[in-house]
């Protein structure tokens, strides 16, 4: 107390005393900033590799819708990871996406057993520069995705990660939960399986364009002879309506059978129809509209200047990714 009876202030003691609330607020602010930084860092890495992750999932699943779901699941798991423990963010993200895609692929295999008619991959409208990367374009093509459908889920994952994205065997082993020795054996087996079934003859860009435009003119006019001239002798035609739209229930094989199908049966001549040349899955394709609405997508495999494969997707549930370009990358 002072001589006048007023309380004195111990400034040194006052400086030493800290309000617990002030400590809490400061700590909370620091933790909040750290949390924001972690989210921003995780988001930056995810966005940087998003197209790659989508492509990995799509090549494993053959479905853009399912690949998008895998991306969502990958993000949820990635957002909870302690990034301080991650040496290679790209490899870690690919591992998460691969595991999610494998789980989904096993479930999808059971659903496809009851699919009505032939199953075709969900088509993508891709940018012109995809075709310039020959290996990437081949890996997302309808023909290759159909070949990959004949592999087991693990074989498909190993083949995609090794042959398309060139991941090391140790990275693939972590992604699929196998030893490196097992992964090497699986990769060898899958490679041999795909090599025996993949398209062999490559067409030059000039041959591809010539065949595509000749094919378009032929189907628009119903000119049977022109179709006979452009189709390969062993051409195969498949269509996918998913039980919703009219489509073939079995593949059609042979030049005359496919030409007759294209000239007479596949096109509604009484409707207002337009055919637009587009790039589907890194290769030549046609986007078909009937009365202004998208009716289907027709993708082609062209080898040595001839059409060897025709893939017609009419299932409306598979046409949502042909209205805008989808980015794929390696």
């Amino acid at each position: 107390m002072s001589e006048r009876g007023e309380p004195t202030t111990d400034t040194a003691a006052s400086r030493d005393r800290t309000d617990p609330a002030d400590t809490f607020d400061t700590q909370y602010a620091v933790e909040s900033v750290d949390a924001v930084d972690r989210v921003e860092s995780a988001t930056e890495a995810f966005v940087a590799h998003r197209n790659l992750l989508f492509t990995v999932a799509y090549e494993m699943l053959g479905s853009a819708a399912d690949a998008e779901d895998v991306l969502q699941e990958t993000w949820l798991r990635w957002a909870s990871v302690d990034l301080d423990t991650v040496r290679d963010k790209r490899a870690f993200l690919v591992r998460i996406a691969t595991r999610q895609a494998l789980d989904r692929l096993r479930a999808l295999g059971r659903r496809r057993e009851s699919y009505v008619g032939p199953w075709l991959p969900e088509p993508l409208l891709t940018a012109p520069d995809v075709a310039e990367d020959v290996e990437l374009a081949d890996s997302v093509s309808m023909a290759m995705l159909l070949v990959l459908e004949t592999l087991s889920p693990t074989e498909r994952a190993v083949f995609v990660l090794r042959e398309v994205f060139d991941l090391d065997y140790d990275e693939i082993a972590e992604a699929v939960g196998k030893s490196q020795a097992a992964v090497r054996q699986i990769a060898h087996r899958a490679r041999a399986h795909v090599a025996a079934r993949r398209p062999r003859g490559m067409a030059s860009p000039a041959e591809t364009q010539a065949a595509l435009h000749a094919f378009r003119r032929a189907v628009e006019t119903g000119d049977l002879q022109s179709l006979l001239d452009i189709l390969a002798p062993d051409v195969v035609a498949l269509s996918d309506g998913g039980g919703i739209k009219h489509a073939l229930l079995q593949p059609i094989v042979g030049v005359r059978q496919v030409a007759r199908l294209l000239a007479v049966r596949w096109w509604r001549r009484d409707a207002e129809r337009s055919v637009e040349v587009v790039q589907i899955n890194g290769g030549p394709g046609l986007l078909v509209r009937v009365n202004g609405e998208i009716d289907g997508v027709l993708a082609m495999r062209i080898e040595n200047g001839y059409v060897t494969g025709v893939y017609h997707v009419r299932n409306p549930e598979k046409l949502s990714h042909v209205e805008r370009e989808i980015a794929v990358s390696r």
Side-chain angles (χ1 to χ4, degrees), residues 10-322:
D10 186 344
T11 56
S14 177
R15 285 195 299 270
D16 290 340
R17 289 195 298 271
T18 304
D19 189 333
D22 292 338
T23 302
F24 177 80
D25 289 344
T26 301
Q27 181 179 353
Y28 179 78
V30 171
E31 290 177 350
S32 297
V33 170
D34 288 343
V36 170
D37 288 342
R38 287 195 295 271
V39 170
E40 288 181 348
S41 180
T43 302
E44 182 180 353
F46 184 83
V47 170
H49 299 299
R50 187 190 185 284
N51 292 344
L52 164 69
L53 299 175
F54 172 84
T55 309
V56 169
Y58 176 72
E59 291 196 15
M60 287 183 59
L61 298 166
S63 165
D66 287 307
E68 293 285 0
D69 288 343
V70 165
L71 285 188
Q72 292 292 331
E73 294 162 359
T74 299
W75 164 251
L76 291 175
R77 283 158 178 76
W78 173 245
S80 64
V81 170
D82 180 1
L83 298 187
D84 292 336
T85 65
V86 178
R87 297 191 306 273
D88 185 336
K89 294 178 181 178
R90 177 182 183 271
F92 200 99
L93 280 163
V94 169
R95 185 161 69 243
I96 297 175
T98 299
R99 289 175 178 173
Q100 298 307 311
L102 269 173
D103 290 343
R104 187 167 290 257
L105 183 58
R106 294 182 178 113
L108 287 174
R110 293 188 289 271
R111 284 194 305 184
R112 288 174 189 169
E113 291 176 359
S114 59
Y115 196 81
V116 179
W119 180 92
L120 287 175
E122 184 176 350
L124 302 180
L125 182 67
T126 50
D129 61 349
V130 174
E132 297 173 6
D133 185 338
V134 176
E135 291 184 2
L136 177 61
D138 177 64
S139 71
V140 298
S141 69
M142 285 281 188
M144 177 55 75
L145 291 175
L146 285 173
V147 172
L148 295 181
E149 281 291 307
T150 62
L151 297 173
S152 72
T154 302
E155 287 175 338
R156 186 166 184 169
V158 170
F159 181 86
V160 167
L161 295 178
R162 180 62 183 172
E163 300 301 314
V164 180
F165 299 98
D166 197 29
L167 264 66
D168 293 334
Y169 286 111
D170 59 338
E171 294 178 304
I172 300 173
E174 289 189 28
V176 301
K178 302 283 185 181
S179 69
Q180 287 192 47
V183 165
R184 288 179 184 275
Q185 291 180 342
I186 293 169
H188 176 76
R189 186 168 62 245
R191 195 181 302 117
H193 182 94
V194 170
R197 292 163 176 80
R198 75 189 309 165
R200 299 183 183 277
M202 297 296 292
S204 68
E207 287 177 324
T208 297
Q209 288 302 311
L212 173 61
H213 289 286
F215 183 88
R216 176 188 179 182
R217 288 193 300 271
V219 296
E220 283 186 312
T221 61
D223 186 342
L224 182 60
Q225 185 56 53
S226 295
L227 285 167
L228 292 172
D229 292 340
I230 199 64
L231 298 176
D234 57 350
V235 61
V236 178
L238 296 137
S239 65
D240 178 346
I244 302 172
K245 290 286 191 74
H246 176 72
L248 301 172
L249 294 180
Q250 297 293 334
I252 302 296
V253 182
V255 59
R256 291 194 174 276
Q257 292 85 343
V258 173
R260 193 175 299 112
L261 173 73
L262 291 169
V264 178
R265 291 179 55 195
W266 265 10
W267 307 100
R268 291 172 53 190
R269 306 292 172 186
D270 59 340
E272 182 181 339
R273 179 172 48 84
S274 65
V275 180
E276 178 186 355
V277 173
V278 292
Q279 186 177 98
I280 298 295
N281 288 60
L286 301 175
L287 182 63
V288 182
R289 286 186 172 88
V290 173
N291 298 325
E293 300 292 330
I294 294 178
D295 182 73
V297 168
L298 196 150
M300 279 161 282
R301 183 173 78 237
I302 298 175
E303 303 176 65
N304 301 319
Y306 291 93
V307 176
T308 59
V310 181
Y311 313 104
H312 190 198
V313 180
R314 296 195 69 212
N315 184 347
E317 295 178 353
K318 293 185 175 183
L319 298 177
S320 62
H321 289 79
V322 296

